[in-house]
Amino acid sequence: MWRVGANGPPMAALTAAISSTPAAPSPAPGARRRGFSVVRCSSAADERRALFSRIAPIYDHLNDVLSLGQHRTWKRICVSWSRAKRGDRVLDLCCGSGDLAFLLSQKVGLDGEVMAVDFSSQQLQTAANRQDQRWKPCYKNIKWIEGDALDLPFTDCYFDAVTVGYGLRNVVDKSKAMQEIFRVLKPGSRASILDFNKSSSLFTTSLQSWMIDNVVVPLASGYGLTEEYKYLKSSISQYLTGEELEKLVQEAGFSAAKHYELGGGLMGNLVATR
Ligand SMILES: C/C(=C\Cc1cc(O)c2ccccc2c1O)CCC[C@H](C)CCC[C@H](C)CCCC(C)C
Ligand SMILES: C[S@@+](CC[C@H](N)C(=O)[O-])C[C@H]1O[C@@H](n2cnc3c(N)ncnc32)[C@H](O)[C@@H]1O
């Protein structure tokens, strides 16, 4: 796992890791250029990072149980709509335990490359363990990178596709995250962004809310993670509607944006073309 942050082996390791590829760390912003800590997060971001690290041990299991396995279908759709293909170099941002990165790995094959970035080392450790346990030859094309969505360690126009699964909603500065995704995507390439849908339908919002209060939180409480899963509800209510997301990505410079509802409107997938 490559760590782009305060607790090293930051620049040396990253640079070594990528020396065989042109994925040189972006030469631009200050700390990164000087080789100092680059995971400089606000306290809100620190709290979120801690939250995702705490839930890491049960995250995959609860996703399977809570969605009755449906999250796998939504993730396959997200990857498919990114248009990633054999030989591509792709980014899975906010990769967590790696579900989308593993799907991308199979799409791009051994001629391609998957950079999977997250700021929680525990989530990345889970991803690396899963990679070992369910080994497929193509998984050799995945690099797990500890880094911040708001300061991506890649040069401009580097990726053929970007996916984000349940990540954008959790990023403190969504506009900056979209600007970073825009920066690292090649012109004409796509970002495919899956998340809960902040619906404008009262029925869907009430159903989401009921499920979180009566199914998600009680189940998570059994693992001592009540507050962590209560956060889901507030994060959805503070998120953006499909229309607002389309506006956000257009403001970040994307030439086209379309938000699609999935799972009966409970989920949404935003497709943005640079
Ligand atoms: C994929 C799921 C959760 C991801 C997830 C995202 C976050 O941002 C978190 C933040 C903090 C803690 C946890 C998470 C987190 O787990 C699971 C989603 C399950 C849903 C609550 C909804 C389940 C819907 C139905 C059972 C499926 C019905 C499908 C039908 C086609 C309508
Ligand atoms: C709900 S999980 C989603 C994980 C995975 N993509 C999936 O679909 O299952 C959200 C992930 O976003 C990561 N994350 C949130 N903010 C981030 C940031 N600013 N930079 C990098 N990762 C971030 C968290 O650490 C967490 O692993």
Side-chain angles (χ1 to χ4, degrees):
M1 182 198 314
W2 306 112
R3 186 168 284 127
V4 189
N7 305 319
M11 292 311 293
L14 179 70
T15 310
I18 58 185
S19 58
S20 58
T21 77
S26 163
R32 191 163 49 206
R33 190 175 45 212
R34 294 192 304 270
F36 295 150
S37 162
V38 291
V39 183
R40 278 173 307 178
C41 298
S42 63
S43 57
D46 284 339
E47 278 171 29
R48 282 184 203 179
R49 184 155 39 141
L51 180 154
F52 286 109
S53 292
R54 287 196 299 277
I55 68 172
I58 51 92
Y59 177 75
D60 291 315
H61 170 65
L62 280 194
N63 281 355
D64 279 337
V65 173
L66 293 170
S67 75
L68 308 175
Q70 286 300 304
H71 73 108
R72 295 177 186 281
T73 304
W74 302 324
K75 286 171 178 171
R76 268 195 295 274
I77 291 172
C78 175
V79 166
S80 161
W81 289 357
S82 76
R83 295 240 177 107
K85 59 182 187 317
R86 193 149 292 276
D88 277 355
R89 185 192 293 137
V90 298
L91 169 65
D92 180 31
L93 188 55
C94 300
C95 65
S97 57
D99 277 348
L100 280 91
F102 292 124
L103 293 172
L104 284 167
S105 165
Q106 295 173 64
K107 281 252 180 237
V108 303
L110 279 172
D111 300 334
E113 213 176 347
V114 182
M115 305 283 183
V117 172
D118 202 283
F119 71 178
S120 159
S121 56
Q122 278 84 346
Q123 289 279 350
L124 289 171
Q125 193 53 60
T126 305
N129 293 343
R130 293 174 83 202
Q131 183 180 21
D132 288 343
Q133 284 156 12
R134 330 173 329 183
W135 178 254
K136 288 189 180 171
C138 64
Y139 288 170
K140 273 191 278 192
N141 62 13
I142 309 177
K143 284 198 178 77
W144 305 109
I145 300 169
E146 191 177 324
D148 188 355
L150 303 180
D151 188 12
L152 292 174
F154 307 107
T155 47
D156 298 354
C157 306
Y158 191 65
F159 291 105
D160 298 296
V162 174
T163 58
V164 191
Y166 300 98
L168 184 63
R169 177 177 35 85
N170 295 303
V171 171
V172 174
D173 186 343
K174 293 161 186 60
S175 171
K176 174 70 179 156
M178 287 315 308
Q179 289 165 26
E180 277 293 84
I181 293 171
F182 179 86
R183 183 180 67 74
V184 301
L185 262 179
K186 293 178 184 171
S189 296
R190 280 181 169 199
S192 182
I193 301 172
L194 169 68
D195 218 311
F196 285 87
N197 181 30
K198 182 179 175 182
S199 177
S200 19
S201 141
L202 181 62
F203 174 77
T204 308
T205 312
S206 310
L207 180 63
Q208 251 173 1
S209 178
W210 186 90
M211 276 178 170
I212 294 173
D213 291 343
N214 297 285
V215 182
V216 177
V217 171
L219 203 64
S221 296
Y223 297 90
L225 294 165
T226 309
E227 294 309 315
E228 287 77 358
Y229 277 79
K230 272 189 181 169
Y231 157 80
L232 250 185
K233 190 165 160 180
S234 57
S235 70
I236 298 169
S237 69
Q238 286 161 31
Y239 196 39
L240 304 171
T241 62
E243 229 172 87
E244 289 166 340
L245 284 167
E246 288 173 357
K247 189 160 173 272
L248 177 83
V249 302
Q250 268 155 2
E251 283 166 3
F254 287 85
S255 63
K258 182 93 185 102
H259 183 265
Y260 301 89
E261 293 190 348
L262 299 175
L266 295 173
M267 304 292 156
N269 198 93
L270 176 69
V271 177
T273 307
R274 173 167 176 174

